[in-house]
Amino acid sequence: AHPQARVSEIPMISDRARHHSAACRSAQPAPTVAFLPFRKEEIDQSIPSRFLDQVARYPQNLAIRSRTHSWTYEVLNRHADVVASALLETIGRGEGRVALLMRHDAPMIAAILGVLKAGKTYVPLDPLHPAERLNTLMWDADAEAILTDAAHEGLARYVAGSGHPVLDAEALFAAGCGQAVQTDVAPHDLAYLLYTSGSTGVPKAVMQSHRNVLHHIRVYTNRLHIAACDKLTLLSTYSFDAAVMDLFGALLNGASVFPMALRAEQPSAMVTWMRDQGITLYHSTPTVYRLLLAALQPADRFTSVRMVVLGGEEAHRDDLTLFKTHFGRDCLFINGLGPTESTLALQYVMDHRSEVPSTMVPVGYAVEDTETFLLDPAGRPAQLYGEIAIRSPYVALGYWRQPELTRAAFLSGFDGDNPRIYRTGDLGRLRTDGAIEFLGRKDWQVKLRGIRIEPGEIEAALIRQPGVRDAVVI
């Protein structure tokens, strides 16, 4: 009937069969008495609005616990109001960007909420990055002010330069000045800029809106049945979107988040602390997961954890074996794919009965309101193998002030319709069960412990050095 049809375009599995397979093969979380479904209409608001709903419902619930802080929702909200009031007094109302240069702890979380309450966009800066890079990001984001803590005030003043206010969030909390802040934040307003390594030699910032963040948290909530009784790890630094899932996955559901500074503690101490605190949802890159579990004895088990969520890099069959060894029979193991440009796109759910036929754990099936495609080198739909592309109304808004990069990565639909399609650069293969298996990158980008690294950015840094005529990184 169609002798000129390309074999690679012939559907191997219908969409209906793929959805049926995903539903049949995905393990389901055990029912939680306190679980309240996150309704779709609830994404049409701001992040602070959803957070305030939790404050009103669970004022005395534990919101954050770290080695040094233990705050209820009521206390966290009060600190966020202090930050928002100070920002509005210092830089005024309206759109704008505020950089954060803070350690991985409770004050950082209050600062994020304070920036959002003030109607601003937060731009996280990692204190361990070189000062020159931080200064570049501050300039590129055109940030109006910088929030910091006592440990990083000197670095913050260097990064901010002259003419940019530097606010010590901890000093603001101690002063306690501030009142409940009422701002008109729209669902389509920018929530954050997250900088990733850039292939052109310059970091690029992914823009995301309040509505899109709420969509991803809604999907995460409903798939994992996150409830007010849950306790979530926060291991990723706030400059990565993995932290967005953990932070807002907890605080937009009345649950508790436990920030833990990986760089400051021994794995054995962290494992002990997580077990003592009764963590229920564990989330990290596979590398960190292996590092922590290596500190366990063969008979050690996490009895309170009901979900192990991995992402950011390849998960191996041995990771599933570790899961079966150290986590309870009712616990689920979840692998997924969600680049910064589309925080939550694919998930694959397993339990203690699951087996992985190959060495790699699949990244799975598309989540709600998301479609995935495989594209051939010409950008045409392929069926069995190709670049993983994501179509959803909730992919990122693009790259901050980089329209050409945005046009190259974010496409209109194949037939000119919306929603847009994001080309991930990741290669995938369709399995017989309809799941997608990750097969590496189509470009030179690499990941180290889940961190995106573009060799082009390293080349650009090398070329700037005196005496270097040219450079290549492979």
Side-chain angles (χ1 to χ4, degrees), residues 162-216:
S162 60
H164 291 88
V166 175
L167 304 177
D168 182 339
E170 292 173 322
L172 294 175
F173 301 153
C177 52
Q179 55 188 354
V181 174
Q182 300 293 329
T183 55
D184 295 324
V185 183
H188 60 264
D189 286 346
L190 276 185
Y192 59 69
L193 299 182
L194 292 188
Y195 278 89
T196 67
S197 185
S199 58
T200 61
V202 179
K204 60 180 183 290
V206 176
M207 302 184 291
Q208 196 57 287
S209 68
H210 287 252
R211 179 187 288 112
N212 287 6
V213 172
L214 288 171
H215 160 75
H216 293 301

Side-chain angles (χ1 to χ4, degrees), residues 115-434:
V115 172
L116 295 175
K117 279 193 165 202
K120 310 294 183 181
T121 301
Y122 77 89
V123 184
L125 305 178
D126 191 328
L128 289 187
H129 285 179
E132 291 75 13
R133 180 185 179 87
L134 298 177
N135 185 260
T136 297
L137 302 188
M138 179 86 179
W139 173 84
D140 183 74
D142 193 18
E144 297 179 285
I146 187 166
L147 279 164
T148 189
D149 49 38
H152 299 102
E153 186 174 354
L155 176 60
R157 293 194 181 282
Y158 171 80
V159 170
S162 60
H164 291 88
V166 175
L167 304 177
D168 182 339
E170 292 173 322
L172 294 175
F173 301 153
C177 52
Q179 55 188 354
V181 174
Q182 300 293 329
T183 55
D184 295 324
V185 183
H188 60 264
D189 286 346
L190 276 185
Y192 59 69
L193 299 182
L194 292 188
Y195 278 89
T196 67
S197 185
S199 58
T200 61
V202 179
K204 60 180 183 290
V206 176
M207 302 184 291
Q208 196 57 287
S209 68
H210 287 252
R211 179 187 288 112
N212 287 6
V213 172
L214 288 171
H215 160 75
H216 293 301
I217 297 303
R218 172 180 175 265
V219 173
Y220 198 56
T221 297
N222 292 344
R223 290 179 70 88
L224 275 62
H225 287 192
I226 301 176
C229 57
D230 275 313
K231 299 177 177 181
L232 284 70
T233 58
L234 177 57
L235 301 176
S236 174
T237 177
Y238 67 162
S239 56
F240 293 101
D241 69 325
V244 172
M245 300 306 298
D246 299 327
L247 175 59
F248 294 124
L251 298 182
L252 300 186
N253 286 299
S256 310
V257 65
F258 290 70
M260 289 171 269
L262 284 171
R263 297 156 170 167
E265 299 203 43
Q266 292 296 319
S268 57
M270 293 189 64
V271 165
T272 300
W273 195 69
M274 283 192 293
R275 292 168 70 181
D276 290 345
Q277 296 301 318
I279 293 297
T280 61
L281 266 69
Y282 173 89
H283 177 211
S284 76
T285 62
T287 297
V288 171
Y289 167 81
R290 295 168 201 142
L291 178 71
L292 292 179
L293 294 193
L296 295 175
Q297 297 298 318
D300 290 343
R301 297 179 80 83
F302 284 97
T303 56
S304 63
V305 176
R306 63 181 190 84
M307 294 276 182
V308 172
V309 184
L310 300 184
E313 58 184 343
E314 299 97 325
H316 304 151
R317 183 165 49 198
D318 290 346
D319 297 324
L320 181 62
T321 302
L322 284 173
F323 161 78
K324 293 178 180 181
T325 302
H326 295 295
F327 294 88
R329 297 291 301 179
D330 293 333
C331 188
L332 296 182
F333 181 89
I334 302 174
N335 188 41
L337 184 145
T340 308
E341 293 83 350
S342 181
T343 304
L344 183 59
L346 294 141
Q347 278 192 338
Y348 195 76
V349 184
M350 290 165 283
D351 58 21
H352 280 256
R353 297 167 297 178
S354 302
E355 298 293 338
V356 180
S358 64
T359 58
M360 308 297 291
V361 178
V363 290
Y365 306 93
V367 300
E368 186 176 349
D369 291 326
T370 300
E371 295 177 86
T372 55
F373 303 91
L374 298 177
L375 303 178
D376 68 13
R380 295 173 299 202
Q383 290 296 319
L384 299 180
Y385 170 85
E387 179 183 3
I388 300 172
I390 300 165
R391 177 156 67 182
S392 171
Y394 308 105
V395 296
L397 307 185
Y399 299 118
W400 172 252
R401 293 181 174 175
Q402 299 206 43
E404 291 185 6
L405 282 179
T406 298
R407 283 192 293 270
F410 297 87
L411 314 175
S412 60
F414 297 123
D415 50 7
D417 65 346
N418 283 319
R420 293 177 306 149
I421 296 169
Y422 170 64
R423 299 184 64 162
T424 66
D426 294 326
L427 295 173
R429 174 172 57 208
L430 183 68
R431 290 161 39 108
T432 55
D433 61 1

Side-chain angles (χ1 to χ4, degrees), residues 3-72:
Q4 301 306 315
R6 294 167 54 87
V7 173
S8 63
E9 295 175 356
I10 299 173
M12 299 292 117
I13 302 175
S14 69
D15 288 340
R16 182 177 180 182
R18 189 182 301 194
H19 294 318
H20 177 73
S21 181
C24 292
R25 293 175 180 269
S26 294
Q28 296 296 317
T32 309
V33 174
F35 171 63
L36 297 174
F38 197 140
R39 301 190 307 275
K40 188 167 184 175
E41 59 268 23
E42 293 181 285
I43 71 172
D44 285 316
Q45 60 180 319
S46 69
I47 294 170
S49 176
R50 170 78 183 187
F51 171 69
L52 287 174
D53 288 343
Q54 311 312 306
V55 175
R57 184 175 291 165
Y58 310 107
Q60 298 308 313
N61 268 25
L62 178 67
I64 307 171
R65 177 167 290 160
S66 68
R67 295 286 195 187
T68 54
H69 296 80
S70 184
W71 291 350
T72 64

